[in-house]
Amino acid sequence: MTNENHIEILKSAIARIYYKDSQTIVGAGFLVSKHHLLTCAHVVTAALGIPPDTQKEPDGIIELDFPLIAPGEKVTAKVVFWQGLTGKKGEDIAGLQLEDIPPTETNPVKLISTLDLNNHEFETFGFPDGYKNGRWSSGFIVREDGIKVIQMHAGDGFLVKPGYSGSAVWDKSLKAVVGMVVAVDNGEGARAVFMTPATVLVENWDVLQESTPTVTHTPIISKPNPRRKYYEGLLEQKTEELDAVLRQQGKVLADIDKVRLDRQAEDILKEIEDLESKIN
């Protein structure tokens, strides 16, 4: 199956969530079963016009549509799972159940539960201000922080901005969803994006547990590294430095110079090993 086919699957799951009784878009969500969606708790509170730190599961009705396959064909949903903003692991998650029959073209996405994501490329689709029809953004996954939120770096294309919250994070090498966008860095020109990984989503909502496979290790061959060329350039530079040091070692006679050059060679070799691991 080509990447284009996989993106078509993602398109059929993307939901656009509205503020109550209006055309204002507050965020995104995505289908995880024929009748269930995932989004952020703070997207739901924005949709219902209630305080963002609401801890009790809200009972209001949320309006949404599937803009990439049936724009404007609104359906309603209610909250059936709730983890409000707490500052702890597994916060800011809302599970929705559709109250109406969705458009026939909709399809749930597959989630994969894994933390073996470093340097994987991602794509996501959200609804920033001024783009009611949404925009794609892409980049690569960086690292995990202390509350199990994974940092990503948006690439040279469109920045991930407010309006992407609740969006599915599509892993281009695993060809599945590996998390959900929960926050962005609002600094001017900032490219940091944060997602709750599928491991945490599955751990918290039992609807996901039967349908989400766990991957403990992703083969290196399936991990595209967007900075490969950069690291390869550094590796070539360091290899040339090592050659120069080795040539000097063959010329000098003083012991003090030999010790200095030996240490220099060891340091360069360590840097070379580190660069080789990053390339792979």
Side-chain angles (χ1 to χ4, degrees):
M1 188 179 291
T2 66
N3 189 59
E4 185 175 340
N5 295 136
H6 289 296
I7 292 301
E8 290 304 314
I9 293 172
L10 179 58
K11 285 181 179 180
S12 69
I14 293 170
R16 177 171 53 183
I17 298 175
Y18 295 86
Y19 176 67
K20 59 179 182 178
D21 303 323
S22 83
Q23 296 298 311
T24 303
I25 300 159
V26 296
F30 56 100
L31 278 176
V32 292
S33 82
K34 274 293 185 181
H35 304 288
H36 294 95
L37 296 98
L38 265 172
T39 187
C40 294
H42 78 264
V43 171
V44 170
T45 58
L48 297 176
I50 59 178
D53 59 352
T54 296
Q55 295 303 306
K56 184 180 178 182
E57 182 178 304
D59 57 6
I61 296 297
I62 295 105
E63 287 192 338
L64 56 96
D65 68 354
F66 297 90
L68 298 181
I69 57 169
E73 191 175 324
K74 287 188 178 180
V75 294
T76 58
K78 65 178 181 180
V79 177
V80 292
F81 173 78
W82 187 255
Q83 291 277 61
L85 295 168
T86 62
K88 299 178 181 178
K89 173 186 171 183
E91 70 163 9
D92 204 4
I93 306 168
L96 307 183
Q97 181 174 298
L98 292 176
E99 295 281 270
D100 305 310
I101 298 173
T104 56
E105 299 90 345
T106 57
N107 283 294
V109 290
K110 179 176 75 172
L111 276 73
I112 284 185
S113 178
T114 180
L115 289 177
D116 186 22
L117 297 170
N118 189 42
N119 281 326
H120 281 216
E121 291 182 277
F122 76 88
E123 287 186 296
T124 191
F125 189 86
F127 306 95
D129 285 345
Y131 296 93
K132 66 178 183 179
N133 295 321
R135 291 294 299 263
W136 289 99
S137 185
S138 61
F140 58 93
I141 299 168
V142 185
R143 61 181 177 271
E144 182 180 44
D145 76 8
I147 59 170
K148 300 295 182 182
V149 175
I150 290 180
Q151 182 179 333
M152 304 183 293
H153 181 84
D156 295 331
F158 196 81
L159 287 172
V160 178
K161 300 179 180 180
Y164 279 83
S165 291
S167 300
V169 178
W170 180 265
D171 187 302
K172 293 175 71 174
S173 58
L174 295 178
K175 296 179 174 59
V177 171
V178 294
M180 175 178 71
V181 175
V182 291
V184 299
D185 186 335
N186 288 324
E188 185 176 353
R191 293 189 173 273
V193 192
F194 301 90
M195 76 166 178
T196 298
T199 51
V200 173
L201 299 173
V202 172
E203 179 183 300
N204 282 274
W205 193 20
D206 57 5
V207 164
L208 303 171
Q209 289 168 10
E210 290 186 6
S211 61
T212 305
T214 298
V215 178
T216 57
H217 175 68
T218 306
I220 290 174
I221 193 171
S222 70
K223 294 175 76 172
N225 186 341
R227 304 194 72 187
R228 185 184 182 95
K229 289 183 180 179
Y230 169 73
Y231 291 134
E232 286 178 338
L234 285 181
L235 179 60
E236 183 178 352
Q237 177 183 328
K238 289 299 175 183
T239 301
E240 290 175 357
E241 287 182 23
L242 181 61
D243 288 342
V245 170
L246 294 175
R247 284 195 297 272
Q248 280 186 278
Q249 284 180 318
K251 296 177 182 178
V252 299
L253 297 176
D255 288 342
I256 189 170
D257 287 333
K258 288 183 178 179
V259 170
R260 175 180 60 81
L261 290 170
D262 284 345
R263 287 176 179 171
Q264 191 175 346
E266 286 178 8
D267 290 342
I268 295 173
L269 279 169
K270 287 178 182 177
E271 291 182 76
I272 287 173
E273 288 174 1
D274 181 54
L275 288 168
E276 287 176 338
S277 70
K278 288 179 178 178
I279 289 171
N280 293 327

